[in-house]
Amino acid sequence: MISKIDIFKFGLFCGYEWNKSIGKEESFRRLNIIYGRNYSGKTTLSRIMKCLEQNKLHKDYNNGNFNLMLADNSTIRHNTLESFPGRMRVYNTDFIRENLSWLHKEDGSIVPFTILGAKNIELETRISEINSLLGNAEDKNGLLHEYNDVKKLIEEYRKLLELKNKSIDDKLRNKANDNIKIDKSLFIGTATKKNYTITDIIYEINLIKADINKHILPTQKVTELTNSLNEIDLPDIIPLREVKPSFIEAVSDTAELLSRKIKPTKVITDLIEDSLLQEWVRQGIGIHNGIKETCGFCGSPIPLDLWDKLAVHFSQESEALRTEIIEKISRLKSVQDNLSSFITLDKNLFYQSLQGNFEQLTNEWTDLVNLYKIRIGVLVDHLKKREENIFQNLTLPELNDYSDRIYEQILKFNALVKEHNIKTKTLVKDQMLTRELLRYSNIAQFIKDIDYDSLKDEVQDLDNKCKELDNAKLPLQNKIDALIEEKRKLESEMKDESKGAELINQYLSHFFGHNELKLVAEGEAPKMHFSIKRDNFPANNLSEGECSLISFCYFIAKIEDELKDESISKNMIIYIDDPISSLDYNHIFFMFSLIENVIAKPQKYGQLFISTHNLDFLKYLKQLTYPKYKPQPNSKDKADHNFFMIERQNKTFSIIRKSPAYMKDYVTEFNYLFHQIYNCSILPENDIAMEQQFNFGNNLRKFLEAYTFYKYPSNKIAFSQRLEKFFEGDRISMTLVFRMTNEYSHLENQFDRSMIPIEVSEISKIAKAVIEKIKQTDLHQYNSLMESIN
């Protein structure tokens, strides 16, 4: 077993010494997992191991210089490689280049290898039986002939189906191109949609076919909508004043005037009993008093005391009432006149599509105004009667009030005005919707005329027949494929080299589910080679991931016989360098599964090295079956596995070092940081180490940055704002934490901080505050983190 390595000069390694970098007490173990980023030096290390396998220096490193210390304290140097006593097997890019050449050879050939196998007469007998079952289409016997008949029938139905679909498509294409596309009332091109095609009409048929009749518009509606497409922008209309007539007030005022009681100072009975005479006399006073001394009607002299008698009859109170009545009549007539002229709108101010609504509202308005004016007329008539007989009280009949309905009608007019004004802003969009309605109507009538549903039913019937035949063909095809595959396997088993390809295929199928990719042995020994086929055709365009899968399966199959022989495998050193290039997550797991089940779990190795750059793969590697521990004399080790890291220090210098704790013990650095903070929260102050003191601020900041970002994943808030949210008003804890994460993890403006360690009591207090806050606000997360650190 290899225990240590010094690399004085080899690729990226220069002057590297194990004891200085890792320590005298540390060494490689039976199982070694190495992590390193791309271009860090993992492949370089694998090439040093390749030198041991080939017992010579790598062709690209003729001046390499290194020492390998073995478990028995012997040393193998770069110039004594032939004395290496073990059996080394290395999987890396050099192995792929030497054995699998599809990446750089035009013929895509792969070097074959031999595993255990021999000819078998029983295999030949079974192959003959398979040939008989398969038969021949030309000879009209066997499964191939039966399959061929079904295939021909399917082709005939598919031709009929194709013709039927073409007939429907031609009808739809002609409708789209020769009708809809050129009719501006149905379609107008836009910057985003310039043409109307068969794809569009099929889409819209599917939209409307569930209820065709609903979309077919009456002729009158089609004409109306078509005419509306000619509308242009019209000016905005000023809304009407929204006022409500005061009919109740008018009734109240009128009733009061009619019922007000007026008595003359001294009653002239003849006048009271004859209202016409009373009015005649009242008017005569104005014509004669102070003007004439004789009656203008009969010429008789007017007695001087007559004016005094009439004055006490027609009192000031009655004349004041008469004046109020006259004024009220005048105001009521003004209301009638104003209401008649209130609507100043004109039909032609509105868009044509709204003019019908305007006419309907106008007619309703006229009816309401007439009803209202009739009620006002009743008030006027009663007031006139009271005026004529000022001393006689009158009572109004019960009258309907149309004020609310008139007000609602004004609101309807204004709603129509608003719709008009909005339409000015949405005219283009409205016309697009109008064209859509007209187009849907046109298409609905079209598919009804051509009986579209029946045509599609015919297509569906043909398609169903094709599917039925396909279903009948599938069992035949599966049976034929199974026999052909069995025949291929049997033929492969008859050749030693073929068994190697077959084993690779088993790995591909069992571990990775790749049944379509196969290695096929071609030719005869000694000129036999493997070729890669996909579904029985040469696979000329393999992805990098597929190359990785086949390469590693090839490697495992190639050492299969050695792994089976315990006398060989127990002394074998296997070095696997980054086997998961370009693999997706599932394939990474299957790659791990292959290593676990073929190598790690059965312990079929003397020493195992696995290097990787992929953290997901590293996570799985931690789940490998570790080798059973065999304690060495005077050793303090408790495990026979170890973790290392390769780091590139600069352009020309890489080192191997012990893997940090968070890479070895934790799934992620996040778990490691939580563990450090948790330790500081529970340890007595005297037990918090100096390293923990100096690293606490930085560890705390990194942990809280990750934790609070995933808790509040917004790029609009800063780290300090996330802390405020996290501590929810606990300003004291938030301030202490912010100071710790800010001042003790950034030293550019306060260098003196680096001279003095953080107060241990402050570390303990802050750590407890953070841990307790996580426990209070996110118990599930807290429990999971606690579980991750045991």
Side-chain angles (χ1 to χ4, degrees), residues 174-210:
N174 292 337
K175 180 66 177 176
N177 292 335
D178 300 338
N179 178 224
I180 296 176
K181 185 170 74 174
I182 62 177
D183 189 337
K184 292 185 178 180
S185 68
L186 301 178
F187 175 80
I188 285 185
T190 63
T192 56
K193 181 65 181 171
K194 295 182 179 179
N195 291 310
Y196 190 88
T197 66
I198 184 174
T199 303
D200 300 313
I201 195 173
I202 291 173
Y203 173 76
E204 292 186 335
I205 286 173
N206 289 331
L207 285 179
I208 67 174
K209 68 180 182 180

Side-chain angles (χ1 to χ4, degrees), residues 262-268 272 278 312-315 318 391:
I262 302 294
K263 290 183 179 182
T265 306
K266 189 172 183 181
V267 177
I268 301 173
I272 290 296
Q278 183 175 244
V312 296
H313 180 83
F314 294 103
S315 64
S318 66
F391 298 106

Side-chain angles (χ1 to χ4, degrees), residues 126-148 476 479-480 483-484 487:
R126 177 56 184 160
I127 289 172
S128 297
E129 292 175 357
I130 292 173
N131 286 333
S132 177
L133 288 170
L134 290 174
N136 189 287
E138 294 180 358
D139 297 337
K140 296 184 179 181
N141 61 60
L143 294 174
L144 291 174
H145 167 63
E146 185 179 346
Y147 177 84
N148 192 55
L476 282 172
K479 193 171 184 179
I480 291 169
L483 288 171
I484 292 175
K487 177 182 175 182

Side-chain angles (χ1 to χ4, degrees), residues 417-683:
V417 169
K418 183 178 180 181
E419 186 177 353
H420 166 89
N421 294 341
I422 291 174
K423 189 173 180 65
T424 299
K425 299 180 180 64
T426 63
L427 183 61
V428 174
K429 182 179 178 181
D430 291 343
Q431 289 182 341
M432 286 180 62
L433 293 175
T434 298
R435 285 190 177 86
E436 186 177 90
L437 289 174
L438 290 170
R439 189 168 65 250
Y440 285 177
S441 176
N442 190 285
I443 292 172
Q445 188 61 54
F446 166 72
I447 62 177
K448 192 172 184 180
D449 293 342
I450 67 171
D451 201 2
Y452 181 78
D453 287 342
S454 296
L455 294 176
K456 294 301 288 184
D457 287 343
E458 293 175 11
V459 167
Q460 188 62 50
D461 288 342
L462 287 171
D463 189 59
N464 289 339
K465 288 178 181 177
C466 290
K467 288 178 180 177
E468 288 174 6
L469 290 170
D470 277 332
N471 291 334
K473 182 185 76 172
L474 186 60
L476 282 172
Q477 183 175 341
N478 291 338
K479 193 171 184 179
I480 291 169
D481 289 345
L483 288 171
I484 292 175
E485 178 65 12
E486 183 185 355
K487 177 182 175 182
R488 184 191 65 76
K489 289 180 179 180
L490 294 174
E491 289 175 342
S492 298
E493 288 181 22
M494 296 175 68
K495 304 172 185 177
D496 291 346
E497 291 86 354
S498 298
K499 286 191 68 66
E502 198 59 32
L503 185 57
I504 294 172
N505 294 335
Q506 289 178 20
Y507 286 148
L508 285 172
S509 175
H510 180 70
F511 288 98
F512 301 102
H514 274 275
N515 296 314
E516 69 274 20
L517 282 178
K518 289 183 173 63
L519 260 70
V520 178
E522 297 181 342
E524 298 290 336
K527 295 184 178 182
M528 179 174 289
H529 66 275
F530 293 162
S531 65
I532 304 172
K533 293 192 175 182
R534 190 195 304 274
D535 295 331
N536 298 323
F537 293 97
N540 297 322
N541 297 304
L542 294 175
S543 68
E544 287 187 26
E546 289 172 329
C547 292
S548 296
L549 294 179
I550 294 173
S551 301
F552 192 70
C553 289
Y554 180 94
F555 172 77
I556 297 297
K558 195 163 191 264
I559 63 173
E560 173 79 3
D561 285 344
E562 293 175 311
L563 294 175
K564 289 179 179 178
D565 190 333
E566 186 176 353
S567 63
I568 297 176
S569 65
K570 69 181 181 181
N571 296 314
M572 184 189 298
I573 300 175
I574 302 173
Y575 194 104
I576 300 171
D577 176 40
D578 224 356
I580 59 162
S581 175
S582 301
L583 294 182
D584 63 27
Y585 192 84
N586 285 334
H587 284 143
I588 289 173
F589 171 78
F590 294 141
M591 185 70 78
F592 155 78
S593 181
L594 179 60
I595 295 173
E596 165 70 2
N597 286 282
V598 177
I599 300 175
K601 190 173 184 179
Q603 305 283 301
K604 293 182 177 180
Y605 59 87
Q607 191 173 21
L608 176 61
F609 295 83
I610 306 174
S611 68
T612 184
H613 75 283
N614 187 283
L615 290 174
D616 288 324
F617 189 51
L618 179 64
K619 178 180 69 174
Y620 286 126
L621 291 178
K622 294 175 184 179
Q623 302 174 34
L624 280 174
T625 299
Y626 292 150
K628 295 178 181 178
Y629 178 62
K630 298 177 181 178
Q632 301 297 319
N634 302 321
S635 174
K636 298 180 180 179
D637 293 338
K638 294 183 179 180
D640 206 5
H641 61 274
N642 217 337
F643 291 80
F644 299 89
M645 179 178 284
I646 296 179
E647 287 185 342
R648 188 168 181 172
Q649 303 293 297
N650 54 48
K651 290 184 178 180
T652 59
F653 182 62
S654 291
I655 65 167
I656 306 169
R657 70 182 183 91
K658 195 77 186 303
S659 178
Y662 68 84
M663 294 292 291
K664 179 177 66 173
D665 298 331
Y666 303 95
V667 176
T668 67
E669 185 180 3
F670 183 74
N671 304 73
Y672 167 79
L673 295 170
F674 175 81
H675 197 183
Q676 294 302 304
I677 297 167
Y678 179 77
N679 284 340
C680 291
S681 75
I682 62 171
L683 288 174

